[in-house]
Amino acid sequence: MPGKLKMDEIAALTGYSVSTVSRVLSGKSYTSDKAREAIVRCARELGVLASMASGRLLINGIAVFAPERTFQGRGDIFYLEVTKGIAEASAPHDVWISYCGLEEQRADVKLFLEKAGHKNINAIIIIGTDDSTIFKLATTLNKPCVLINSIDREMALDSVSPDHRAIGFTAMRHLFEQGHRRILTMTCLRRETLYARLDGIKEAYRHFHVPFDPQNDLLVTEWFTAEEAERALDDWLAGHDKTQWPQVIFPNSTSMTEGVLRALQRRGLRVPEDISIITTDFTWNLQNRLDAPVTGVTVPCRELGIEAVHLLQTRLNRPQASVFNLLLQGKVMDFGSVSNATRHAARVALDQ
């Protein structure tokens, strides 16, 4: 049997027993680091890893870092879903996962090195961090590292993210194709990924030859909270004549959508009869916070975690491969919160 012969050959070349070789290549964790490294190196040289299409995670532990709010009650459900994807993809491989809070900016360097440098940690996943110092440190640890929803300007680390630019473009295209032109985009610009989404929104304006006026078409908040979105929209509506009010409000997260809906309800405005709404970061768990689903563009959160584990797997099997930057696409989920402006205009014309 070719597989048995390969294990015999690896055992002979490394000096370890066939049973130890089998345990390592099966992804079992109860072998020494020295044995695992020697067997994996030999298997790679013999081309065994390259032939393992579905592969194994030949590691004992993964350190997963994410913003602290990920692990708090009613915190960041988006990133919590990502961690569930990591756990789901790692489960068949008998891998231990360590979770640790790490903020987007000015992260705790000492904490990162302590957790990521632990002897039982063989791989690292960093979620939603923009601290370039952390990225540089990760490259020095000689452990495979994958970023999720982060941008490494040095292009030294593998990453997987939603295609934020395409998501922004897709949402805006949906509105333009429904005949809308007066659209108020509400977003927070605390992270590079959010600027990418705004670039996609502006690209849609150019594509449909619609002028973009940031004074009337864009409302930027400090955070993504429902409370801040509610206050910001209240102030915006109070400061503009009703003839200037938007046909559509486009909050860039479900939490912001909560605040927008409250502000509209308090003013007696109906969705979509009076004002339409579309959102991004659509996931079922996030939408469950709303009284009724809102039309939005899906962001594949759990899939981000799953693909990150696969990228780790690829990096372990092909350490010399080029750095990967995987972008996952979303799609519009229509729940009737966006009216068709063209049909509405036609009905008004007929009524007259």
Side-chain angles (χ1 to χ4, degrees), residues 296-313:
V297 180
T298 59
V299 175
C301 343
R302 191 167 293 202
E303 291 85 346
L304 289 170
I306 293 171
E307 293 302 330
V309 173
H310 289 318
L311 282 180
L312 280 181
Q313 192 173 42

Side-chain angles (χ1 to χ4, degrees), residues 36-37 176:
R36 188 188 66 82
E37 290 171 7
F176 286 145

Side-chain angles (χ1 to χ4, degrees), residues 84-105:
K84 289 179 180 178
I86 294 171
E88 179 182 324
S90 302
H93 303 290
D94 190 26
V95 173
W96 176 67
I97 302 177
S98 168
Y99 297 99
C100 182
L102 193 72
E103 294 311 310
E104 290 102 325
Q105 296 289 347

Side-chain angles (χ1 to χ4, degrees), residues 233-250:
L233 181 58
D234 269 334
D235 292 343
W236 194 97
L237 294 175
H240 290 75
D241 187 83
K242 286 189 176 182
T243 59
Q244 297 177 303
W245 285 7
Q247 298 168 303
V248 186
I249 299 176
F250 177 15

Side-chain angles (χ1 to χ4, degrees), residues 19-209:
S19 61
T20 300
V21 172
S22 176
R23 286 200 301 273
V24 170
L25 296 184
S26 297
K28 304 300 182 184
S29 60
Y30 46 93
T31 53
S32 70
D33 289 344
K34 182 180 178 181
R36 188 188 66 82
E37 290 171 7
I39 291 168
V40 169
R41 182 170 60 252
C42 184
R44 183 178 292 121
E45 291 170 355
L46 293 176
V48 173
L49 296 187
S51 66
M52 294 169 69
S54 58
R56 287 279 185 179
L57 270 177
L58 307 179
I59 55 178
N60 295 329
I62 303 173
V64 176
F65 297 91
E68 185 63 42
R69 64 181 182 276
T70 305
F71 312 110
Q72 298 171 349
R74 280 190 68 84
D76 198 318
I77 297 179
F78 179 97
Y79 283 153
L80 183 60
E81 279 295 299
V82 174
T83 63
K84 289 179 180 178
I86 294 171
E88 179 182 324
S90 302
H93 303 290
D94 190 26
V95 173
W96 176 67
I97 302 177
S98 168
Y99 297 99
C100 182
L102 193 72
E103 294 311 310
E104 290 102 325
Q105 296 289 347
R106 297 181 293 280
D108 189 330
V109 171
K110 182 179 178 181
L111 177 65
F112 173 76
L113 289 175
E114 177 186 337
K115 298 293 185 180
H118 194 278
K119 65 178 182 179
N120 292 330
I121 294 298
N122 312 112
I124 305 163
I125 295 177
I126 302 174
I127 305 172
T129 297
D130 292 324
D131 194 328
S132 59
T133 300
I134 294 296
F135 301 157
K136 290 175 183 176
L137 289 173
T139 63
T140 69
L141 296 176
N142 197 30
K143 299 178 181 182
C145 177
V146 174
L147 307 179
I148 298 180
N149 201 33
S150 295
I151 298 173
D152 175 22
R153 296 297 183 189
E154 301 301 320
M155 298 183 291
L157 299 173
D158 296 323
S159 67
V160 55
S161 298
D163 190 339
H164 289 285
R165 188 181 184 103
I167 287 170
F169 180 90
T170 298
M172 195 59 66
R173 179 181 62 188
H174 180 74
L175 298 178
F176 286 145
E177 288 178 346
Q178 298 301 312
H180 295 288
R181 291 299 181 266
R182 294 200 317 277
I183 303 162
L184 178 62
T185 296
M186 296 181 63
T187 190
C188 166
L189 295 177
R190 294 184 62 85
R191 303 197 60 225
E192 291 287 336
T193 52
L194 302 170
Y195 279 98
R197 188 175 296 181
L198 181 58
D199 285 341
I201 291 169
K202 292 178 179 179
E203 182 183 350
Y205 275 87
R206 293 191 297 271
H207 181 79
F208 285 89
H209 307 290

